[in-house]
Amino acid sequence: GIQVEQSPPDLILQEGANSTLRCNFSDSVNNLQWFHQNPWGQLINLFYIPSGTKQNGRLSATTVATERYSLLYISSSQTTDSGVYFCAVISNFGNEKLTFGTGTRLTIIP
Amino acid sequence: NAGVTQTPKFRVLKTGQSMTLLCAQDMNHEYMYWYRQDPGMGLRLIHYSVGEGTTAKGEVPDGYNVSRLKKQNFLLGLESAAPSQTSVYFCASSYTRLDQPQHFGDGTRLSIL
């Protein structure tokens, strides 16, 4: 099946810093989503972005489908941004189920 | 608008006991999913449903059964719980499989002793 790799696995930043999280996938996809899992375990859907660029406040995401990667940008980090960020994809050639990466754990220090 | 609601939020079971986790959504979504999340890992799909009365196996279906008798509810059953099933379970729903994002419940933390 499709492989989804996220980097870095862990990221510690000072409040106010910017960050870039990366998601690489091994096959062409027709669905790519970014999720934030907060410290209480809740999963929040951030972006549905199989291609192109989207922005929502301090967060933006870009997917370059032809090169099989997606980037999540967080600007002016706040402590509430802490948590684990997951990328999840559905392959064009697989069983049409969402496959998750192992996540990037982001810790924002005040 | 409640979205996706999971009950219970926490449960401790002894090995061999059975239980059912309930997922309810009020968004009129066709597709519903059950995932498990183990420490340091992403979510893995257990079973899913593409509509009322239908179920299908996901990535890790062994030891679990599901039912979708009503469109808004998706039940996950453990017939004989094992310590390897200790995990956090998430339910999700989506209007369609490919075109819409998935909406998640808050999770059920299940411990099997």
Side-chain angles (χ1 to χ4, degrees):
Chain A
I2 191 168
Q3 303 298 311
V4 183
E5 296 181 353
Q6 292 186 241
S7 59
D10 291 280
L11 189 57
I12 301 174
L13 295 173
Q14 205 79 36
E15 196 169 22
N18 301 328
S19 59
T20 301
L21 283 59
R22 187 177 180 102
C23 172
N24 291 334
F25 38 95
S26 60
D27 215 343
S28 60
V29 301
N30 52 46
N31 184 327
L32 188 147
Q33 299 179 36
W34 281 98
F35 295 90
H36 175 218
Q37 188 169 36
N38 64 26
W40 296 270
Q42 296 171 316
L43 274 162
I44 307 300
N45 193 299
L46 298 174
F47 293 104
Y48 167 72
I49 184 167
S51 63
T53 297
K54 288 186 178 179
Q55 181 157 7
N56 184 1
R58 295 181 296 104
L59 275 62
S60 64
T62 294
T63 297
V64 184
T66 54
E67 297 187 20
R68 301 182 183 173
Y69 72 90
S70 183
L71 302 173
L72 178 68
Y73 305 96
I74 305 174
S75 64
S76 304
S77 299
Q78 301 176 359
T79 56
T80 52
D81 296 329
S82 294
V84 182
Y85 290 81
F86 290 103
C87 167
V89 303
I90 296 180
S91 168
N92 276 331
F93 307 106
N95 49 17
E96 298 187 332
K97 300 181 186 67
L98 207 58
T99 299
F100 282 76
T102 53
T104 292
R105 181 174 298 277
L106 178 64
T107 303
I108 304 299
I109 300 172
Chain B
N1 191 347
V4 179
T5 303
Q6 292 183 231
T7 53
K9 296 188 186 306
F10 305 94
R11 186 72 184 268
V12 178
L13 292 178
K14 294 181 179 179
T15 297
Q17 287 185 317
S18 64
M19 78 160 296
T20 300
L21 279 63
L22 172 64
C23 176
Q25 52 94 5
D26 61 2
M27 296 173 283
N28 201 33
H29 284 171
E30 290 293 335
Y31 293 79
M32 297 187 74
Y33 315 81
W34 276 108
Y35 294 89
R36 61 177 287 172
Q37 184 180 28
D38 299 304
M41 299 181 67
L43 278 69
R44 292 184 293 168
L45 183 64
I46 304 171
H47 287 280
Y48 65 103
S49 169
V50 301
E52 181 178 323
T54 74
T55 63
K57 293 181 179 180
E59 182 183 358
V60 288
D62 294 341
Y64 304 95
N65 56 76
V66 288
S67 63
R68 183 99 181 266
L69 299 180
K70 293 182 178 181
K71 184 177 182 178
Q72 63 267 33
N73 295 336
F74 194 28
L75 278 63
L76 177 71
L78 286 72
E79 291 186 346
S80 180
S84 61
Q85 295 176 305
T86 294
S87 189
V88 180
Y89 291 85
F90 287 95
C91 176
S93 70
S94 63
Y95 183 63
T96 66
R97 184 181 53 224
L98 297 181
D99 299 330
Q100 300 294 326
Q102 293 191 8
H103 299 265
F104 282 81
D106 288 345
T108 295
R109 188 173 298 275
L110 183 61
S111 294
I112 316 294
L113 305 179

